[in-house]
Amino acid sequence: MNQEYKVGIIMGSKSDLPVMQDAADILTELGVAFEITVVSAHRTPDRLFDYAKTAANRGLKVIIAGAGGAAHLPGMVASLTHLPVIGVPVKSSNSIDGWDSVLSILQMPNGIPVATVALNASKNAGLLAAQILSTADENLCQALINYKQELAQKVLDSANDMQAEGLPIGYSA
């Protein structure tokens, strides 16, 4: 796999790490190099500006930004870089059931796109980052095809298990 492709994983605070770890785990599984750190849009704006402005020069190709509450991190990063940004809304202790995070990331103004995954779905953000990178990396493309085939096989195995247990199956291919 081509290790020159790197993904940046950032989060508003270390308390977001349990959610954002899923992105790191799937990227590791797929062999994609990444960096991970804390960058707060509100508490460290200078760090945010520096991170976003230097990301491409550091070799990053995609940024995954997770944030809870007001969730300005993904949008602010997207406003400062040409790189694709994937936002992960995080249901944090100060959020309104996560909806504030979802809407803050989802409702970006035209011209500043942020791809948004489901609440706490950093694994999907990692997969989406890998899919973006796979357009220029055949090995990564094959790793994603294999990953999806494994998902499909798990479903088929579950259906077979249910049938073997004598449960009524209403569909058979």
Side-chain angles (χ1 to χ4, degrees):
M1 199 145 319
N2 188 343
Q3 289 300 310
E4 75 180 59
Y5 297 124
K6 281 179 49 178
V7 175
I9 302 172
I10 58 176
M11 61 206 87
S13 69
K14 187 177 177 187
S15 64
D16 298 333
L17 184 57
V19 170
M20 299 306 291
Q21 186 63 49
D22 289 341
D25 292 345
I26 192 65
L27 290 171
T28 299
E29 182 179 332
L30 294 169
V32 176
F34 65 90
E35 65 182 31
I36 187 166
T37 192
V38 175
V39 178
S40 173
H42 300 107
R43 294 177 296 258
T44 58
D46 291 337
R47 181 174 167 80
L48 167 97
F49 273 64
D50 183 62
Y51 185 90
K53 292 275 192 183
T54 64
N57 291 339
R58 290 194 324 276
L60 297 183
K61 302 295 183 192
V62 181
I63 297 171
I64 299 171
H72 290 101
L73 183 61
M76 287 301 301
V77 169
S79 75
L80 295 165
T81 184
H82 67 279
L83 298 176
V85 176
I86 303 167
V88 178
V90 175
K91 184 178 178 182
S92 59
S93 61
N94 67 335
S95 81
I96 306 167
D97 238 5
W99 281 107
D100 46 348
S101 304
V102 170
L103 295 174
S104 292
I105 298 170
L106 186 67
Q107 291 297 108
M108 291 301 299
N110 283 328
I112 310 295
V114 173
T116 309
V117 296
L119 187 65
N120 290 348
S122 76
K123 183 175 186 175
N124 276 349
L127 286 165
L128 181 56
Q131 288 175 315
I132 291 167
L133 296 174
S134 77
T135 63
D137 185 326
E138 283 298 319
N139 291 329
L140 182 53
C141 183
Q142 189 58 54
L144 284 161
I145 289 168
N146 294 344
Y147 175 80
K148 290 191 176 193
Q149 288 173 340
E150 290 170 14
L151 289 179
Q153 189 59 52
K154 287 178 185 177
V155 171
L156 296 174
D157 290 346
S158 293
N160 289 336
D161 289 348
M162 289 174 59
Q163 191 170 17
E165 293 169 11
L167 296 171
I169 303 296
Y171 172 77
S172 175

